[in-house]
Amino acid sequence: MRSIRLLALSSVTASLLLAACATTSEPAAPPVAVAPAFQAQLLEDVRILSSDEMAGRDTGSPGGEMARNYIVGRLEALGIAAPAMGRLQPWEATGRGRAGPTTYNGVNIIGMLRGTRVTDKYIVVTAHYDHVGTHEGQIYNGADDNASGVATMLALAADLKRQAPEHNVIFVALDGEEHGLLGAKHFVEVPPVPLSSIAMNLNFDMTARAETDGKLWVTGTYQHPNFRPILEAIPADGAVALAFGKDTPQDTGADNWVEASDHGAFHRAQVPFLYFGVNYHPDYHRPSDDFERITPSVFTSATALSIAGFRALDQALNR
């Protein structure tokens, strides 16, 4: 996450816990997994994507390809269709490298899901799967940055397969974020649907380690104030609550996240955006950003809030 130049249960969690217990004779919503299964898959996705075997998932590396194959397999297992242009969107671009400007060959991964109400508009959900690879013999596994955001996106995809969204949804696992939002820039230049049909971008980047301040930050409501009242009604989940900010003129340097991750490319393309992510922690962009540092209950709560946020936006927009 954050390619900066400096370098109460929620309704979602409640549904995960209670859906399997519903026995009424009334028509039921599509079944949802019980909470333990939801958490187990969420953690398994992060564990695999941040394993030493994937060697930090740098763009163009064998580890990046392994991560890509895993994500493609998960999308296909969930039944998330590929767009007409295909599941993979390869690109070549020059970005930031440790030794200076470097040409990278990356690949975005795309899935699509049809909505039930707004069938001419799309919500684009993004999470970058690349990280910074290895350096001086150390692996930067990037469990929070951003295996966590990919896992949250996959959990959302599973939830939307169980109960269809109202808008069409495009899921994009983006490559090359760490080298300058390269995959996101390519996506908005060559999107699978016209940019004018994209209602908004919802970007997940670092969703696991909210224990730093107990907050899952929402950036972008200063630029798009109509989104804030939609999300303010969502209650805290366990020890994690939504917080709003990191997007005003008073937020400077590393505390301004408006262009700190892939949503920045959508913002520049004048596509409305929101970014969900946790605050900086001591393992950010360090070899110690490992799976074992994640507190399962905290990550599960942040992901439940992310899903609740999507559902609220999906239901409120284009009314």
Side-chain angles (χ1 to χ4, degrees), residues 144-196:
D144 193 22
D145 186 10
N146 184 39
S148 67
V150 174
T152 293
M153 183 175 72
L154 291 171
L156 173 62
D159 194 70
L160 297 184
K161 282 295 292 185
R162 287 186 288 259
Q163 183 176 343
E166 297 188 13
H167 288 72
N168 300 326
V169 182
I170 300 176
F171 301 98
V172 195
L174 290 161
D175 201 356
E177 189 269 357
E178 300 287 1
H179 298 294
L181 321 184
L182 301 182
K185 290 174 181 177
H186 182 80
F187 182 88
V188 298
E189 290 170 0
V190 192
V193 298
L195 281 183
S196 59

Side-chain angles (χ1 to χ4, degrees), residues 224-239:
H224 306 286
N226 57 306
F227 291 153
R228 183 158 177 166
I230 298 170
L231 300 177
E232 281 182 323
I234 297 173
D237 190 298

Side-chain angles (χ1 to χ4, degrees), residues 2 5 12 32 35 52 87 96 109 113 117 130 169 181 209 217 230 243 245 247 249 262 296 300:
R2 296 173 205 155
R5 300 255 193 308
V12 172
V32 247
D52 284 352
R87 174 76 72 196
R96 299 191 302 270
I109 308 162
L113 194 58
R117 176 175 64 88
D130 66 296
V169 182
L181 321 184
R209 301 281 301 275
W217 286 90
I230 298 170
D247 53 13
D262 289 312
T300 302

Side-chain angles (χ1 to χ4, degrees), residues 55-317:
R57 308 185 307 277
D58 199 3
T59 300
S61 71
E65 183 179 7
M66 289 178 64
R68 181 162 60 252
N69 291 339
Y70 178 78
I71 296 164
V72 168
R74 288 282 288 116
L75 290 173
E76 293 183 351
L78 287 169
I80 303 296
M85 67 184 288
R87 174 76 72 196
L88 302 181
Q89 184 186 47
W91 50 262
E92 180 179 285
T94 299
R96 299 191 302 270
R98 286 194 175 95
T102 303
T103 298
Y104 293 95
N105 289 282
V107 183
N108 298 332
I109 308 162
I110 305 175
M112 298 186 74
L113 194 58
R114 288 290 170 188
T116 59
R117 176 175 64 88
V118 188
T119 56
D120 61 342
K121 294 288 184 180
Y122 296 80
I123 296 176
V124 177
V125 179
T126 53
H128 76 90
Y129 69 94
D130 66 296
H131 194 48
V132 299
T134 61
H135 184 55
E136 296 182 346
Q138 292 185 297
I139 301 174
Y140 289 66
N141 281 318
D144 193 22
D145 186 10
N146 184 39
S148 67
V150 174
T152 293
M153 183 175 72
L154 291 171
L156 173 62
D159 194 70
L160 297 184
K161 282 295 292 185
R162 287 186 288 259
Q163 183 176 343
E166 297 188 13
H167 288 72
N168 300 326
V169 182
I170 300 176
F171 301 98
V172 195
L174 290 161
D175 201 356
E177 189 269 357
E178 300 287 1
H179 298 294
L181 321 184
L182 301 182
K185 290 174 181 177
H186 182 80
F187 182 88
V188 298
E189 290 170 0
V190 192
V193 298
L195 281 183
S196 59
S197 69
I198 297 177
M200 69 170 300
N201 165 234
L202 180 58
N203 185 39
F204 300 138
D205 193 349
M206 291 177 60
T207 54
R209 301 281 301 275
E211 68 273 9
T212 300
D213 56 11
K215 296 174 181 178
L216 180 67
W217 286 90
V218 180
T219 291
T221 61
Y222 178 84
Q223 289 72 24
H224 306 286
N226 57 306
F227 291 153
R228 183 158 177 166
I230 298 170
L231 300 177
E232 281 182 323
I234 297 173
D237 190 298
V240 186
L242 294 180
F244 302 88
K246 312 287 189 180
D247 53 13
T248 74
Q250 290 72 43
D251 297 311
T252 59
D255 287 327
N256 190 301
W257 297 352
V258 172
E259 297 199 19
S261 180
D262 289 312
H263 55 277
F266 290 86
H267 177 51
R268 291 174 214 158
Q270 300 184 324
V271 175
F273 76 94
L274 286 177
Y275 162 50
F276 284 20
V278 303
N279 216 332
Y280 297 104
H281 51 76
D283 301 311
Y284 169 66
H285 270 208
R286 294 181 180 274
S288 53
D289 184 8
D290 290 327
F291 172 72
E292 291 75 18
R293 301 286 178 115
I294 291 173
T295 302
S297 62
V298 172
F299 183 29
T300 302
S301 288
T303 294
L305 286 174
S306 299
I307 295 172
F310 175 92
R311 290 288 189 185
L313 292 161
D314 181 40
Q315 292 165 14
L317 296 180

